[in-house]
Amino acid sequence: MKYKIQKLLNGKVLHFKFKNQKDICKTFIRFQEYYESPEFAGKIFTLSEYKTWYAKEYGAFTYYKEWNGFNIPVKHFKPFIDGKFDPLKKRERKIVDEVRSSKAKYVIATHRKADFEHELTHAIFNTNTKYRFSIICVLGKSKYKKNIQEISKFLAKEGYNPKVFMDEINAYITDQDKWIFDKVSIDKELAKELIELRKEF
């Protein structure tokens, strides 16, 4: 497992840059799913338990081929640091040690250059109060209500936890991700507002 570490946004963010998809997914699966899984968020669970649930929910365990980037607030590493996920995998322990020794507030991980801006947008949304407030104000406009509901419904089907819908809608739209634009209609005016706001930060 090889990765590089970058400190971003004046040390607020730790960026783990991996060389391949399998390594990043095997390393971050429990961290990410403890944070936002619709089934396991906030729960202590084994990798085996998660794999069994995932396969039953989606027909097969394809997680290591599905995801390319991860983003997690540092506070969600606490149960891993406190030993509640004992035993940790060796690869998990390395990340936990890096997070524990840092002063970061947010962690992102990528293995493709294309995913960096998406994950960085999550980090800014969660560490910059002004940016977060501005984005929420745009997403809360009544004229976008129906479109937001449509996008949220799509994200729910894809396995996202409702608590991160606003965060994900913003990140996917601002990096103009072809995946979501091909799957669901995005209001052009909404996209323009979000993209212009992102450029300011």
Side-chain angles (χ1 to χ4, degrees):
M1 178 184 72
K2 294 183 179 180
Y3 58 81
K4 293 181 179 179
I5 302 175
Q6 290 179 298
K7 292 182 180 180
L8 307 171
L9 303 181
N10 297 318
K12 290 181 182 179
V13 178
L14 274 186
H15 173 214
F16 292 89
K17 187 177 181 180
F18 283 72
K19 287 199 170 184
N20 63 71
Q21 184 179 33
K22 188 174 182 180
D23 276 347
I24 191 176
C25 287
K26 289 182 76 171
T27 303
F28 272 83
I29 180 171
R30 287 207 293 174
F31 302 140
Q32 190 70 52
E33 301 314 313
Y34 174 77
Y35 168 46
E36 65 174 13
S37 167
E39 178 66 23
F40 291 92
K43 299 177 182 178
I44 307 301
F45 59 94
T46 65
L47 183 56
S48 178
E49 288 172 334
Y50 184 81
K51 284 183 173 181
T52 298
W53 171 81
Y54 192 99
K56 187 181 294 185
E57 187 76 8
Y58 300 106
F61 184 73
T62 56
Y63 193 96
Y64 299 159
K65 297 178 181 179
E66 297 289 335
W67 303 99
N68 292 293
F70 299 89
N71 67 93
I72 307 153
V74 162
K75 65 182 180 181
H76 289 281
F77 281 87
K78 190 174 189 306
F80 296 93
I81 292 171
D82 292 346
K84 293 182 179 179
F85 276 85
D86 187 36
L88 289 174
K89 303 292 183 182
K90 184 179 179 181
R91 61 179 64 244
E92 292 175 323
R93 184 171 289 108
K94 285 185 175 182
I95 301 300
V96 167
D97 288 344
E98 293 286 358
V99 172
R100 178 172 24 200
S101 64
S102 77
K103 294 183 179 180
K105 295 181 181 293
Y106 212 82
V107 169
I108 63 174
T110 62
H111 77 95
R112 302 187 311 182
K113 186 177 181 180
D115 297 299
F116 175 70
E117 286 299 326
H118 179 95
E119 303 306 337
L120 183 61
T121 297
H122 283 305
I124 298 172
F125 182 84
N126 285 280
T127 61
N128 188 310
T129 304
K130 183 179 179 181
Y131 180 65
R132 183 185 180 92
F133 178 75
S134 298
I135 293 300
I136 289 175
C137 284
V138 172
L139 296 177
K141 291 183 178 180
S142 58
K143 63 180 178 179
Y144 299 138
K145 184 177 180 179
K146 186 176 180 181
N147 196 205
I148 297 299
Q149 290 174 339
E150 292 173 355
I151 304 169
S152 297
K153 187 177 180 180
F154 168 73
L155 291 175
K157 287 182 179 179
E158 293 297 314
Y160 285 94
N161 191 305
K163 73 178 182 180
V164 298
F165 282 176
M166 296 298 102
D167 192 1
E168 291 293 347
I169 288 170
N170 176 52
Y172 276 119
I173 291 178
T174 55
D175 74 0
Q176 301 176 65
D177 195 293
K178 190 173 183 298
W179 172 73
I180 199 166
F181 277 82
D182 285 347
K183 296 291 181 67
V184 63
S185 176
I186 306 291
D187 186 297
K188 291 182 179 179
E189 195 173 337
L190 168 62
K192 184 179 179 180
E193 282 203 65
L194 295 180
I195 291 168
E196 288 302 313
L197 264 176
R198 177 66 179 85
K199 288 178 181 177
E200 295 179 21
F201 292 85

